[in-house]
Amino acid sequence: MTVRVRFAPSPTGFFHIGSARTALFNWLYARHTGGKFILRIEDTDKERNSEAFLKVILDSMHWLGMDWDEGPNVGGNYGPYFQSQRTDFYRQKLQELAAKGRAYEKDGAWWLRLEGARSKVFDDHLGREIEKVEAAPMVLDDLIRGRVERAEDRDFVIFRSNGEPVFHFVNVVDDIAMQITHVIRGEDHLSNTSKHLEIFKAFGVTPPAYAHIPLILKTDGPGKMSKRDRGALIEEYQQRRYLPGAVRNYLCLLGWTPANGQEVLPIEEIIRQFELKDIHQSNARFDERKMAHINTQTLRHLPRETFVSLAQPILKSAQVIDDQVTTERLNEVFAIVQEKVNSLEHLPEFVSYFFTDQFTKDPAALANLTKKGGDPAARLCEILPALETCAWTETDLDAAFTATGLAHQRKATDYFAPVRYAVSGQGGGAHLLGILRLLGQAKVLARLRAF
Ligand code: GLU
């Protein structure tokens, strides 16, 4: 059996991490099993769907590297993949149920008829008499939640009086038509599943396997992560120049843990390991710091050429470099800086001192220099003569710091922070002697004197 899974978004809002994670788990399972990943757009609700939201979903999926085997722009043998284009098919399927006596019309709407003994009861909530059905409970052996039993107790609408089919109906009809073998979706749909199983039963079709994945909780507190929470939208990470691979890596960890506990790992390895049975039952908690950490780790381990090809346009658009700055120069700089970079978002401020004298200065770093009676200007005056006459290799520079320390009865390291601040405006960063070597003697002396 070839695995066929689908991601079935309704384009009624921005693409948030919960949806992205559902898409990702489907994609991972398809790639792990050599199956097919189908993208089906559930856009039957005309009022709430928009082209703009659809575009955000497709763009975000591309950005995260989730390619689909069937769906919009790709086609496939089971299309169309937009539910809004399948209305005739849904009507035909409705007629099929009506012919079997499993659907009937009442008050302009079409209802699914449950099987079981019927009785009239007064519903306090609705304030009128309704018909209850003693239907057999639907038993679901969920691949994550285990056994779940639930009985529907009254007929339910599958086609509205305005002629629009109901979500439960089209969802199941398409899972049948598209030969879906596994439904992997958010736990918020668990309570719908008994209705879905009733519809499968009405068609006489064996349902697919189900795997309901746990919720994502917000960073603090008991609530579910909502679209309005900070960090909830995939677009945000795109704008903040996160690496898509790092975001994807983090999303994989929301409800799943790699075998050996190593959390930053290549997607090929995640695909190799990914099994539905290993998805957690308990809810996952969103942790933006962890996502940032994974992004930083991924960034620092990129091959140098890849890093430089990402950095170059960012530095250009921030006007930190112009066309005069060569790729060789960037390679030299990032040979010492890449392992200290935290994010691409803040890269321009972090490296501006290599390329311009108008570099960013960190006030906190300056405050550190003068605290406890520190006198950075005096230290720079002491070291200047040694640097003026120094041969410009890291070995010679190192010797100049040592000699100055000896001459003034100080540690060589007393000179590091003032020199670092004067040439880079920062309190930390790449190896200092490397920075001095790359800046060159003239620039370094000018900046020390300027301070
Ligand atoms: N359109 C539904 C949603 O966005 C799909 C549910 C499902 O995957 O079955 O939640």
Side-chain angles (χ1 to χ4, degrees):
M1 175 191 74
T2 308
V3 165
R4 290 178 58 84
V5 290
R6 84 301 191 274
F7 173 53
S10 305
T12 56
F14 287 100
F15 195 55
H16 60 96
I17 57 164
S19 307
R21 199 252 329 232
T22 299
L24 183 59
F25 281 14
N26 276 281
W27 180 82
L28 286 172
Y29 192 59
R31 296 297 169 257
H32 174 77
T33 54
K36 299 282 183 225
F37 175 56
I38 295 137
L39 177 59
R40 178 174 82 216
I41 307 300
E42 302 212 322
D43 56 350
T44 49
D45 185 342
K46 293 191 190 68
E47 313 271 276
R48 294 176 58 222
N49 285 289
S50 92
E51 277 289 318
F53 287 140
L54 175 65
K55 187 173 179 320
V56 172
I57 295 172
L58 302 187
D59 287 352
S60 302
M61 288 186 62
H62 283 306
W63 186 70
L64 288 169
M66 288 187 264
D67 51 332
W68 51 95
D69 305 304
E70 296 173 26
N73 306 329
V74 175
N77 293 333
Y78 301 81
Y81 293 90
F82 288 87
Q83 289 189 328
S84 58
Q85 296 169 17
R86 297 170 66 83
T87 314
D88 290 346
F89 176 66
Y90 300 139
R91 287 185 198 287
Q92 199 184 310
K93 286 295 167 186
L94 175 66
Q95 287 318 314
E96 207 177 300
L97 286 192
K100 282 179 156 187
R102 292 300 307 270
Y104 62 93
E105 198 178 2
K106 189 182 83 183
D107 306 329
W110 281 89
W111 299 69
L112 185 89
R113 186 194 302 281
L114 298 183
E115 287 173 327
R118 287 167 184 265
S119 56
K120 302 264 189 215
V121 294
F122 189 83
D123 185 304
D124 289 332
H125 189 66
L126 295 172
R128 61 179 163 80
E129 202 169 59
I130 57 156
E131 193 171 48
K132 281 230 172 190
V133 186
E134 262 173 66
M138 293 288 107
V139 181
L140 170 67
D141 281 311
D142 192 275
L143 295 176
I144 298 166
R145 307 299 311 178
R147 177 160 290 220
V148 182
E149 278 189 38
R150 188 186 152 110
E152 290 299 315
D153 64 357
R154 63 189 79 167
D155 297 347
F156 55 89
V157 172
I158 51 178
F159 246 82
R160 294 199 185 82
S161 49
N162 65 6
E164 281 182 12
V166 167
F167 157 70
H168 305 300
F169 185 70
V170 294
N171 186 265
V172 168
V173 162
D174 282 347
D175 282 345
I176 296 172
M178 296 179 181
Q179 296 187 21
I180 300 304
T181 59
H182 297 72
V183 170
I184 305 166
R185 62 183 177 189
E187 202 184 271
D188 45 332
H189 284 293
L190 188 59
S191 59
N192 291 327
T193 308
S194 48
K195 284 198 176 69
H196 296 183
L197 293 177
E198 283 288 4
I199 301 173
F200 277 105
K201 194 172 145 207
F203 279 110
V205 173
T206 310
Y210 282 89
H212 285 92
I213 55 187
L215 300 177
I216 302 174
L217 303 178
K218 58 174 92 197
T219 310
D220 2 74
K224 181 184 157 191
M225 184 91 176
S226 93
K227 298 179 219 272
R228 284 166 300 279
D229 286 314
R230 183 186 146 80
L233 304 182
I234 294 299
E235 267 182 298
E236 206 176 306
Y237 299 103
Q238 226 167 329
Q239 281 153 13
R240 292 173 55 197
R241 301 189 190 281
Y242 267 71
L243 295 171
V247 175
R248 186 177 57 193
N249 189 155
Y250 176 70
L251 292 176
C252 291
L253 305 178
L254 286 171
W256 178 82
T257 312
N260 58 5
Q262 189 200 328
E263 295 193 314
V264 184
L265 67 181
I267 194 66
E268 294 74 21
E269 184 52 27
I270 296 178
I271 289 172
R272 198 184 66 73
Q273 290 187 23
F274 190 82
E275 295 281 2
L276 296 179
K277 66 170 177 42
D278 296 332
I279 296 176
H280 307 169
Q281 273 204 22
S282 54
N283 292 330
R285 191 175 290 283
F286 179 68
D287 180 349
E288 197 176 345
R289 295 222 315 267
K290 185 163 175 180
M291 164 121 69
H293 172 75
I294 290 176
N295 187 54
T296 300
Q297 292 309 315
T298 312
L299 207 48
R300 290 179 180 180
H301 286 100
L302 286 178
R304 181 97 60 246
E305 312 82 76
T306 313
F307 185 92
V308 167
S309 68
L310 292 170
Q312 200 158 23
I314 293 173
L315 297 178
K316 260 191 199 161
S317 74
Q319 294 177 332
V320 165
I321 61 170
D322 56 22
D323 292 331
Q324 310 294 307
V325 178
T326 62
T327 309
E328 289 69 50
R329 178 63 176 167
L330 292 174
N331 273 316
E332 275 177 350
V333 167
F334 288 113
I336 66 165
V337 177
Q338 186 182 345
E339 62 174 16
K340 301 286 181 181
V341 164
N342 287 326
S343 71
L344 289 177
E345 186 185 16
H346 301 298
L347 189 68
E349 305 94 273
F350 193 61
V351 297
S352 63
Y353 63 90
F354 279 106
F355 309 102
T356 165
D357 291 328
Q358 267 70 58
F359 52 88
T360 318
K361 298 186 176 75
D362 175 9
L366 180 60
N368 263 337
L369 292 180
T370 50
K371 114 181 151 195
K372 291 193 213 137
D375 186 351
R379 297 294 83 72
L380 296 187
C381 290
E382 288 164 9
I383 201 165
L384 255 169
L387 295 180
E388 281 160 350
T389 54
C390 187
W392 216 250
T393 71
E394 291 190 26
T395 317
D396 294 302
L397 286 163
D398 195 27
F401 276 90
T402 310
T404 306
L406 280 174
H408 297 274
Q409 280 129 44
R410 293 185 175 276
K411 294 187 297 269
T413 52
D414 290 349
Y415 296 92
F416 288 172
V419 170
R420 178 185 289 282
Y421 180 81
V423 300
S424 75
Q426 292 174 20
H431 182 53
L432 179 62
L433 300 182
I435 295 177
L436 299 181
R437 172 175 56 80
L438 285 180
L439 283 174
Q441 190 171 22
K443 266 215 166 77
V444 168
L445 296 180
R447 288 182 188 177
L448 298 187
R449 290 184 187 125
F451 183 97

